[in-house]
């Protein structure tokens, strides 16, 4: 393919060098004459392992050149990658001025280009940036429509400084957000030889993925440091603790617990987070990340309560109120909090949970149910059908297999607040998922 790369900074230089080394014809575009001169002399404008030889070879073989002429670069390429900077502004927002400028330049060149051209954004931008900045700038400057007259994709990068070339060759995933399948197919040609999971998705989902990755990496560093600080204060080797922690790839380092939904509860997580924070205070430690966990969990409970109340109905049916499916454990169940709040607001409720119903008769939680929450126990019914018939708003509290077909039974005008996503295909009027 013929590729133009706008922005010869860190990401742009790595992309240009790697794509050229794969045999594609690459034109780098930048406003800095020093960078242009360095590339055209076969030298790297950045310091990065392996990049120098790649650029030298690609330039020698006439597969890589650099220019300041945006129009020429667009005309002599089939696909353009935008890799310009998106620095922070004082208030934390992104400065998309460079992105807007190059979009206007690319759009101006597209005015007189007949061939279908694909514009790919690799710059890191918040969700909505393609919709609100990139697409309007391209369409206004070109007089053409994205997804029809030219292609538009976002292709977030997952490059680490110091190992960027290796990361380009071995990415954890390749994510293509696309306006149309034709654009995605053209971009995919650049990654045909790369063995990595491929995801083709909506533009804004791809934008959000990059921020999710980076926020999670930041959380991991902060978490490890706070655990290390507690450990050191207790004369424990924090690195050894985290090495043992990381050996668990079933729960700790896995996709488990990484599905957005309702709040956590149960006999372990709230109690142990609370105890660890207490210990930190006793040691005079500041643990802002660990200290934020329970307040964050409380926010999710309050969000669920608001979602139910916002439906405007007084007759509420709840399916599942133990802290998770397959258990009768009600200790610190967020669903108990939700139910008690709704009762306090004067709502009428009927509740069904087969495991809790059995526990009320014979289980270990019988005393808790009969003495701690008798006002809730008295609202329990024998069947799902009773809840469905009674409720104007239906709340699904956990993912018991018994509830999988419930959404097919919802009647017109009946609202559903789904806190666990029992059906990934469900959407539309009357249905509200807490995080989707």
């Amino acid at each position: 393919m013929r590729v133009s790369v706008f922005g010869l900074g860190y990401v742009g230089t790595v992309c240009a060098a790697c794509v050229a080394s794969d045999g594609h014809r690459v034109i780098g575009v930048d406003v800095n004459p020093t960078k242009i001169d360095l590339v055209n002399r076969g030298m790297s404008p950045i310091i990065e392992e392996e990049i120098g030889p790649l650029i030298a070879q690609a330039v020698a073989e006439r597969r890589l050149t650099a220019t300041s002429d945006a129009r020429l670069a667009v005309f002599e390429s089939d696909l353009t990658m935008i890799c310009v900077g998106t620095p922070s502004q004082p208030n934390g927002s992104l400065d998309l001025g460079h992105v807007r400028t190059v979009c206007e330049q690319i759009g101006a060149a597209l005015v007189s280009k007949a061939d279908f051209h694909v514009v790919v954004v690799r710059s890191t931008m918040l969700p909505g940036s393609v919709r609100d900045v990139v697409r309007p700038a391209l369409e206004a400057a070109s007089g053409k429509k994205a997804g029809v007259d030219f292609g538009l994709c976002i292709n977030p990068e997952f490059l680490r400084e110091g190992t960027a070339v290796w990361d380009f060759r071995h990415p954890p995933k390749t994510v293509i957000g696309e306006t149309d399948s034709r654009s995605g197919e053209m971009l995919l040609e650049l990654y045909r030889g790369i063995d990595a999971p491929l995801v083709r998705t909506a533009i804004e989902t791809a934008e959000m993925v990059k921020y999710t990755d980076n926020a999670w990496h930041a959380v991991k560093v902060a978490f490890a440091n706070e655990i290390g600080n507690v450990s050191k204060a207790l004369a424990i080797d924090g690195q050894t603790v985290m090495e043992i922690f990381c050996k668990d790839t079933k729960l700790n380092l896995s996709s488990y617990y990484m599905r957005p939904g309702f709040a956590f509860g149960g006999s372990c997580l709230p109690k142990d987070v609370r105890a660890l924070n207490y210990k930190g205070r006793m040691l005079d430690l500041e643990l802002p990340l660990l200290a934020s966990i329970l307040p964050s969990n409380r926010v999710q409970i309050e969000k669920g309560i608001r979602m139910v109340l916002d439906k405007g109905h007084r007759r509420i049916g709840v399916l599942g109120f133990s802290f998770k499916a397959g258990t009768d454990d009600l200790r610190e169940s967020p669903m108990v909090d939700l139910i008690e709040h709704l009762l306090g607001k004067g709502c009428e409720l009927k509740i069904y949970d087969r495991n809790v119903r059995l526990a009320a008769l014979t289980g270990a939680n019988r005393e808790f149910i009969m003495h701690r929450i008798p006002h809730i126990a008295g609202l329990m019914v024998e069947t799902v059908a009773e809840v469905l018939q009674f409720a104007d708003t239906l709340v699904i509290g956990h993912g018991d297999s018994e509830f999988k077909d419930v959404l097919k039974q919802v009647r017109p005008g009946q609202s559903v607040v789904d806190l666990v996503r029992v059906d990934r295909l469900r959407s539309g009027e009357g249905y509200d998922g807490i995080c989707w």
Side-chain angles (χ1 to χ4, degrees):
M1 292 183 68
R2 300 182 305 161
V3 179
S4 54
V5 177
F6 278 66
L8 292 175
Y10 185 81
V11 173
T13 298
V14 172
C15 291
C18 290
V19 168
S21 71
D22 288 339
H24 303 286
R25 172 76 169 86
V26 180
I27 304 174
V29 183
D30 205 282
V31 296
N32 187 325
T34 301
K35 291 182 180 181
I36 294 169
D37 180 61
L38 284 170
V39 170
N40 285 332
R41 289 195 287 131
M43 302 172 66
S44 175
I46 66 168
I47 303 298
E48 175 63 35
E49 187 75 20
E50 299 184 63
I51 204 74
L54 290 182
I55 291 177
Q57 183 177 358
V59 170
E61 296 175 358
R62 299 188 177 182
R63 285 181 282 102
L64 175 61
T65 59
T67 181
S68 61
D69 190 336
R71 180 182 176 85
L72 173 70
V74 171
F75 266 82
E76 294 191 1
S77 61
D78 310 302
L79 180 148
T80 293
M81 286 186 163
I82 297 175
C83 301
V84 297
T86 54
S88 286
Q89 300 197 91
N91 65 357
S93 65
L94 295 180
D95 181 354
L96 298 182
H98 300 310
V99 172
R100 185 179 289 104
T101 297
V102 299
C103 286
E104 291 168 351
Q105 293 172 346
I106 295 165
L110 291 177
V111 171
S112 50
K113 183 170 182 178
D115 295 338
F116 189 81
H117 191 92
V118 177
V119 180
V120 179
V121 182
R122 298 219 80 188
S123 301
T124 299
M125 304 183 305
L126 287 166
S129 298
V130 169
R131 180 195 64 220
D132 297 336
V133 176
V134 173
R135 184 169 186 159
L138 287 168
E139 290 183 339
S142 67
K144 297 181 177 182
K145 185 172 179 58
V148 178
D149 305 308
F150 66 91
L152 180 58
C153 297
I154 185 160
N155 177 213
E157 49 83 16
F158 306 103
L159 307 176
R160 296 168 296 172
E161 293 191 32
T163 60
V165 173
W166 194 93
D167 289 342
F168 187 95
R169 303 285 189 221
H170 309 88
K173 55 188 175 287
T174 298
V175 179
I176 297 175
E178 57 193 31
T179 55
D180 60 285
S181 59
R182 181 182 180 185
S183 300
E185 286 295 326
M186 288 183 65
L187 174 56
L188 187 56
E189 286 299 316
L190 295 180
Y191 302 115
R192 289 294 183 191
I194 291 179
D195 182 17
L198 171 67
V199 179
R200 295 174 67 175
T201 187
I203 292 281
E204 292 187 14
T205 301
E207 289 175 314
M208 188 63 191
V209 163
K210 174 66 175 179
Y211 279 90
T212 305
D213 279 33
N214 282 353
W216 177 232
H217 299 330
V219 166
K220 288 190 289 185
V221 172
F223 176 78
N225 287 342
E226 291 194 6
I227 292 297
N229 290 339
V230 174
S231 298
K232 184 173 178 61
L234 295 171
I236 298 168
D237 186 334
Q239 290 200 347
T240 300
V241 170
M242 290 305 297
E243 286 169 5
I244 297 170
F245 168 88
C246 290
K247 291 183 182 298
D248 180 354
T249 57
K250 291 183 179 180
L251 299 179
N252 293 347
L253 302 184
S254 73
S255 60
Y256 210 84
Y257 300 118
M258 298 297 283
R259 189 180 181 194
F262 199 40
F264 63 76
S267 61
C268 296
L269 300 188
K271 171 181 72 72
D272 292 346
V273 170
R274 199 177 291 122
L276 189 57
N277 275 293
Y278 172 81
K279 190 65 175 180
R281 291 194 299 273
M282 295 302 98
L283 296 168
D284 289 328
L285 296 174
E286 290 188 36
L287 305 172
L289 179 63
L290 294 173
S292 72
I293 295 173
L294 290 176
S296 176
N297 202 51
R298 185 67 215 174
V299 166
Q300 201 70 352
I301 295 173
E302 291 168 357
K303 179 179 180 180
I305 292 168
R306 286 196 306 272
M307 288 173 63
V308 177
L309 292 175
D310 286 349
K311 299 301 180 186
H313 299 142
R314 289 177 55 83
R315 294 160 63 94
I316 312 296
V318 177
L319 297 178
F321 75 108
S322 60
F323 87 97
K324 68 176 181 178
T327 177
D328 64 352
D329 198 343
L330 295 172
R331 286 173 292 181
E332 301 210 43
S333 168
M335 288 303 299
V336 171
D337 278 0
L338 182 144
I339 290 166
E340 291 185 328
H341 192 97
L342 295 176
L343 289 172
K345 290 292 185 178
C347 296
E348 302 175 50
L349 281 85
K350 287 192 176 181
I351 303 166
Y352 173 82
D353 190 310
R354 60 179 174 179
N355 290 316
V356 176
R357 179 170 55 84
L358 291 172
L361 299 174
T362 61
N365 277 321
R366 174 178 167 80
E367 181 178 353
F368 181 88
I369 295 167
M370 304 310 295
H371 294 95
R372 296 283 298 277
I373 55 168
H375 54 299
I376 294 178
L379 303 175
M380 295 172 61
V381 296
E382 298 291 318
T383 65
V384 173
E386 291 176 76
V387 176
L388 286 169
Q389 184 178 8
F390 165 80
D392 295 317
T393 292
L394 184 67
V395 181
I396 302 176
H398 62 54
D400 194 293
S401 58
E402 191 176 7
F403 304 149
K404 287 186 177 179
D405 294 328
V406 163
L407 296 180
K408 299 175 184 176
Q409 304 173 50
V410 173
R411 64 178 182 269
Q414 194 172 35
S415 298
V416 177
V417 174
D418 186 351
L419 301 178
V420 292
R421 201 169 204 176
V422 290
D423 184 351
R424 289 189 64 86
L425 300 179
R426 180 72 177 192
S427 61
E429 187 177 355
Y431 174 84
D432 203 355
I434 192 168
C435 286
W436 54 90

